[in-house]
Amino acid sequence: MATGHEHTVKAFDQDIGQLRALVSQMGGLAEEALGDAMTALSRNDVALAREVRRKDKAIDAIESEIERAAVRVIALRAPMADDLREVIAALKIAAVIERIGDYAKNIAKRVPMIHAEGEERIEVISILPAMGQIASDMVHDALDAFSARDAEKARRVCDSDNALDDFYDSIFRTLVTFMVENPRTISQVAHLLFVAKNIERIGDHATNVAEMVYFAATGQYLADREATDTERT
């Protein structure tokens, strides 16, 4: 027969499992939103862009559910140390995912402006999906690290941010050069620069998620750990 303590531990594990599942579901929707926004941009699919904007409400709804679940766990289970870090991480990660969803929605909003009627297609657009894929992979891997409580995978996500920043710098230079050489495209290119910046910010947020995962799993901040490792070498 299970003791009261065993029952409490089992109930807490179920609560944590629910939080992880909700974070995973929310993250999956945010990944899908980013992918669809980039597809809409590439194909000039205004209907798909509109759908991305509509579905953002589902991401917001799950964030609210995660907030309620986290508060309930803290109030009823009074978690300590490792367990408390994981609950707080889920709460903070949900807020970051909501911002990622907002960036995807903002990209979708730009689609009709970039492909305005009567304006020729700018081939530079074809570069952006590759950058979007890097950011999407970072989000996916950060959420996988959270589900698996994998500190090393979280560290690798942070390492990927440098590659995304380099990609952004390259695209920024390409777009500015194109705009200077083709002044009639200034309005369209300005929107594309906005899209590229949004993708770069999504990568930053994926890095934030990874840092939270690392802290939840190890009790150390990633920057502190890297500083310690440097001192040892």
Side-chain angles (χ1 to χ4, degrees), residues 202-214:
I202 288 172
D204 288 344
H205 282 303
T207 300
N208 290 341
V209 170
E211 289 173 347
M212 293 175 203
V213 171
Y214 190 91

Side-chain angles (χ1 to χ4, degrees), residues 124 169-182 185-186 189 193:
V124 186
D169 291 340
S170 176
I171 286 180
F172 181 88
R173 289 192 296 270
T174 299
L175 288 172
V176 169
T177 300
F178 186 88
M179 182 170 56
V180 170
E181 294 175 352
N182 303 271
T185 66
I186 287 175
V189 173
L193 286 168

Side-chain angles (χ1 to χ4, degrees), residues 7-59:
H7 176 77
T8 300
V9 170
K10 183 177 180 181
F12 179 80
D13 288 344
Q14 290 173 341
D15 290 339
I16 289 294
Q18 181 193 19
L19 273 175
R20 285 177 179 165
L22 286 170
V23 170
S24 178
Q25 181 185 1
M26 187 181 180
L29 290 177
E31 286 181 59
E32 181 182 356
L34 175 58
D36 286 348
M38 297 310 299
T39 298
L41 178 66
S42 299
R43 299 178 182 174
N44 188 20
D45 191 334
V46 176
L48 180 57
R50 191 181 303 117
E51 187 71 3
V52 171
R53 295 168 64 182
R54 186 187 66 80
K55 288 183 177 179
D56 186 62
K57 292 180 181 178
I59 296 175

Side-chain angles (χ1 to χ4, degrees), residues 95-189:
V96 174
I97 295 173
E98 190 273 336
R99 290 297 300 138
I100 290 172
D102 282 348
Y103 283 122
K105 179 179 67 175
N106 289 341
I107 291 171
K109 283 181 180 179
R110 298 278 163 163
V111 171
M113 304 173 192
I114 292 168
H115 297 288
E117 186 176 352
E119 292 185 346
E120 63 181 275
R121 174 184 170 83
I122 300 177
E123 289 305 318
V124 186
I125 290 173
S126 61
I127 305 174
L128 286 168
M131 183 181 177
Q133 188 59 56
I134 294 174
S136 181
D137 290 344
M138 289 176 67
V139 174
H140 181 81
D141 290 346
L143 293 170
D144 273 358
F146 174 71
S147 296
R149 204 176 171 87
D150 189 334
E152 287 310 308
K153 189 166 191 175
R155 183 201 286 271
R156 289 195 295 273
V157 171
C158 295
D159 292 341
S160 299
D161 192 48
N162 290 330
L164 187 65
D165 289 344
D166 290 343
F167 209 138
Y168 171 72
D169 291 340
S170 176
I171 286 180
F172 181 88
R173 289 192 296 270
T174 299
L175 288 172
V176 169
T177 300
F178 186 88
M179 182 170 56
V180 170
E181 294 175 352
N182 303 271
R184 68 186 183 282
T185 66
I186 287 175
S187 177
Q188 288 171 288
V189 173

